[in-house]
Amino acid sequence: MSVDMDTFRGFADQIAQLGRMAEPVDLPDDERVARVKAEFDAKLNQTRATYLESCVHCGVCAEACHFFLETGDAKYAPVRKMDLLQRHYRREHSPMRWLFRLWTQEITLDDLMEWQELVYDSCTECGRCMLVCPMGIDIADVVNVTRRAYARAELVPAELTAMEQEQSQSGNIFRTGPDDLRRIAAELEQEGIPIPIDKEKADYVLVTSAIEILLFKDALRAAARVMNHLGYDWTVQSCAFEGANFGMLSGYEDVQAKLTNRLMGAAVSVGAKTLIIPECGHAYPAARWYGANALGTPLPFEVLHLSEFLGREVRTGRLKLKPIDGKRTVTYHDPCKVGRIGGVFDEPRAVLQAMGMRHRELPDHGVMNFCCGGGAGNFLLNRAEPLRQKTFELKKRQTESVGAEALVTACSSCRMSFLGAADASGGWDRPIESLVELVGEHLGDGLGEQNGIERAVPDRSL
Ligand code: SF4
Ligand code: SF4
């Protein structure tokens, strides 16, 4: 069930080469700066102006950010990541701009190059800092606006540029297309796990990703087994099977909308009642929160993350799971975009419970869970590897502190971040497991154990 590490390392080697595939876009320096400012102007609204006016520089947000906590470096304090937009706001839009201009420097290309690390490598837009800010400032939103400005100026890190350029052209990533989907479907058919591709009508559309086709094949296998086991009318659409959205991750808004529109359009065309997003963190908000805007109408179907779907099926009793052989103590890592941003907390825990897992909560879990360190596309950035390593150490400490034998999650990016960091640090004796893969191995006819959950009192000093 767990991924073969040689396959993982081969995949990681390919990722390490990504930056070379980006087609550079030449622009004069002053044009880049002008584009950033123009995008800031376009995105500044009352809400964001209030954020920028109300920061009291208390520094509380720093203690919420895994990058600051694990490095102790003041440059990674969340408030600093707002600096470019704040400077521009103060000089050009603040009621006190005539005064601010006396000491607030204009943004330069050097600033943009320096802040690139702060808004891509060291911010995963996880949203944890907003929850502790006494003023309720959504720093992740400000970072996201800054990323969009960087995209306008063609200053996105090369790895994300390469991914965005490929997906903008083909809709897919990692050179994986419909033929690869059909190939893996044929392989699974041989195992007795059919994947109905391109049905004209279906109640459920399952989305997958190149990462599942190339690396985490067991996750796709397990999802297909679940859908077949439940006997639902389902399909995967070869014209829109990719859930990842590198328009969203890089900051290219038009590409983001185009990709989301494609997914939504495919679900509409088959008359779907439910669109199921795979174990991918950002694919969930890309579809759930931006889907209707991209389509231009209210969605005629519901959007569920796979972990949400599994939990719902377990809770209604339609999906019956076998208890695992012998008690196993596990902990669950909430992917930020599914948990804190999406509100999906109880469903994956219900699934673990149904398999009779002994579940220990991390000291920080649920809405306050720490990010894997690789979200928002960070897991592809070569230069961010030391930062991911640091944040993995935090997760490792917390996992071991609760005596968990395995770390379970429902996001391929989180798994890749953890696996990469664990491998780089000489390995870890706790497997990093996928929720749906566990489910795929424990499909049963009888009701699962309902009393297996045991909660430890979290040690918040970690
Ligand atoms: S916690 Fe909020 S108010 Fe305090 S420094 Fe951070 S952003 Fe500013
Ligand atoms: S959104 Fe997350 S990663 Fe970004 S500054 Fe806030 S806590 Fe740090």
Side-chain angles (χ1 to χ4, degrees):
M1 183 186 67
S2 47
V3 69
D4 170 66
M5 285 311 289
D6 287 338
T7 307
F8 176 78
R9 289 180 194 123
F11 193 69
D13 285 346
Q14 283 185 38
I15 288 176
Q17 307 303 319
L18 267 180
R20 293 195 200 151
M21 297 175 194
E23 301 269 350
V25 179
D26 284 332
L27 284 175
D29 293 356
D30 54 356
E31 171 71 12
R32 292 190 200 273
V33 174
R35 286 189 182 197
V36 166
K37 290 179 178 178
E39 186 65 9
F40 281 168
D41 290 338
K43 290 289 189 295
L44 270 166
N45 54 24
Q46 281 188 337
T47 302
R48 293 181 180 127
T50 306
Y51 291 157
L52 300 170
E53 285 284 354
S54 59
C55 176
V56 292
H57 295 275
C58 62
V60 171
C61 52
E63 297 299 322
C65 180
H66 43 287
F67 293 117
F68 173 80
L69 283 177
E70 290 301 299
T71 62
D73 190 332
K75 74 175 176 174
Y76 296 131
V79 65
R80 190 166 153 77
K81 297 164 190 172
M82 300 200 295
D83 197 72
L84 293 182
L85 185 61
Q86 188 164 55
R87 274 163 57 185
H88 183 70
Y89 168 77
R90 284 180 170 167
R91 283 187 59 91
E92 307 301 333
H93 298 274
S94 164
M96 302 287 280
R97 53 191 178 277
W98 55 273
L99 187 60
F100 277 124
R101 281 180 187 156
L102 296 177
W103 64 79
T104 306
Q105 296 296 310
E106 281 218 60
I107 295 169
T108 65
L109 188 68
D110 286 344
D111 294 329
L112 294 176
M113 298 315 293
E114 184 180 345
W115 258 261
Q116 193 195 56
E117 190 215 359
L118 299 185
V119 297
Y120 286 95
D121 307 33
S122 68
C123 182
T124 51
E125 299 182 17
C126 77
R128 195 171 190 272
C129 49
M130 181 183 73
L131 298 185
V132 303
C133 172
M135 310 308 287
I137 297 170
D138 187 350
I139 295 164
D141 172 76
V142 174
V143 168
N144 187 262
V145 166
T146 310
R147 282 190 178 204
R148 291 177 192 278
Y150 272 64
R152 290 267 178 221
E154 305 291 353
L155 287 173
V156 173
E159 296 91 333
L160 290 179
T161 299
M163 297 296 285
E164 177 274 326
Q165 287 173 343
E166 182 189 353
Q167 201 172 14
S168 172
Q169 288 166 17
S170 69
N172 299 315
I173 55 175
F174 294 124
R175 308 280 184 266
T176 303
D179 288 346
D180 300 285
L181 176 68
R182 291 191 191 95
R183 177 182 47 74
I184 196 161
E187 286 173 21
L188 291 176
E189 177 100 44
Q190 296 289 315
E191 296 177 26
I193 309 170
I195 294 184
I197 293 181
D198 292 341
K199 280 173 71 173
E200 289 186 5
K201 291 291 169 197
D203 290 338
Y204 292 83
V205 170
L206 178 71
V207 179
T208 179
S209 172
I211 291 180
E212 291 188 345
I213 290 173
L214 298 173
L215 184 63
F216 297 132
K217 292 179 188 170
D218 287 345
L220 178 55
R221 176 185 285 111
R225 287 190 69 196
V226 170
M227 297 307 289
N228 292 335
H229 180 81
L230 288 165
Y232 286 160
D233 175 22
W234 70 290
T235 184
V236 177
Q237 293 292 289
S238 64
C239 65
F241 68 85
E242 180 58 64
N245 189 318
F246 277 88
M248 182 183 201
L249 296 180
S250 55
Y252 290 91
E253 221 165 349
D254 50 342
V255 177
Q256 174 184 341
K258 183 172 87 173
L259 296 170
T260 300
N261 179 276
R262 200 173 66 139
L263 272 191
M264 300 301 116
V268 168
S269 70
V270 300
K273 298 188 180 77
T274 306
L275 179 70
I276 303 176
I277 302 299
E279 287 196 336
C280 173
H282 80 275
Y284 183 61
R288 182 112 184 214
W289 311 127
Y290 295 96
N293 280 350
L295 193 63
T297 64
L299 299 181
F301 49 81
E302 61 179 351
V303 178
L304 297 179
H305 187 261
L306 185 54
S307 63
E308 191 177 16
F309 169 74
L310 295 172
R312 184 187 289 188
E313 295 300 306
V314 162
R315 286 169 144 189
T316 56
R318 286 191 291 265
L319 181 59
K320 298 172 173 77
L321 302 178
K322 287 188 286 198
I324 59 160
D325 294 335
K327 285 272 182 190
R328 247 185 120 206
T329 305
V330 302
T331 192
Y332 184 72
H333 165 77
D334 292 279
C336 306
K337 306 295 191 297
V338 181
R340 188 158 38 244
I341 313 294
V344 179
F345 298 112
D346 295 340
E347 292 88 346
R349 287 164 172 80
V351 173
L352 293 176
Q353 184 177 4
M355 288 186 283
M357 298 282 186
R358 192 183 293 124
H359 177 216
R360 305 274 189 217
E361 292 286 15
L362 293 166
D364 297 277
H365 61 272
V367 74
M368 290 309 290
N369 190 54
F370 277 108
C371 176
C372 66
N378 176 306
F379 73 101
L380 297 179
L381 304 181
N382 292 310
R383 132 191 112 181
E385 197 269 338
L387 282 171
R388 289 195 296 274
Q389 191 70 40
K390 290 273 189 191
T391 54
F392 169 68
E393 291 300 325
L394 188 160
K395 193 65 64 177
K396 184 178 167 187
R397 280 199 310 277
Q398 292 202 332
T399 302
E400 292 176 358
S401 77
V402 297
E405 298 161 55
L407 179 64
V408 180
T409 192
C411 172
S412 297
S413 304
C414 298
R415 284 175 79 193
M416 285 190 64
S417 296
F418 291 145
L419 282 167
D423 199 37
S425 59
W428 190 30
D429 60 358
R430 320 282 156 114
I432 297 148
E433 299 188 353
S434 142
L435 187 73
V436 70
E437 289 180 19
L438 286 169
V439 168
E441 292 194 339
H442 293 90
L443 295 175
D445 296 326
L447 281 173
E449 289 280 338
Q450 297 300 309
N451 301 319
I453 203 158
E454 292 177 19
R455 292 181 189 278
V457 177
D459 175 0
R460 304 202 65 82
S461 65
L462 289 157

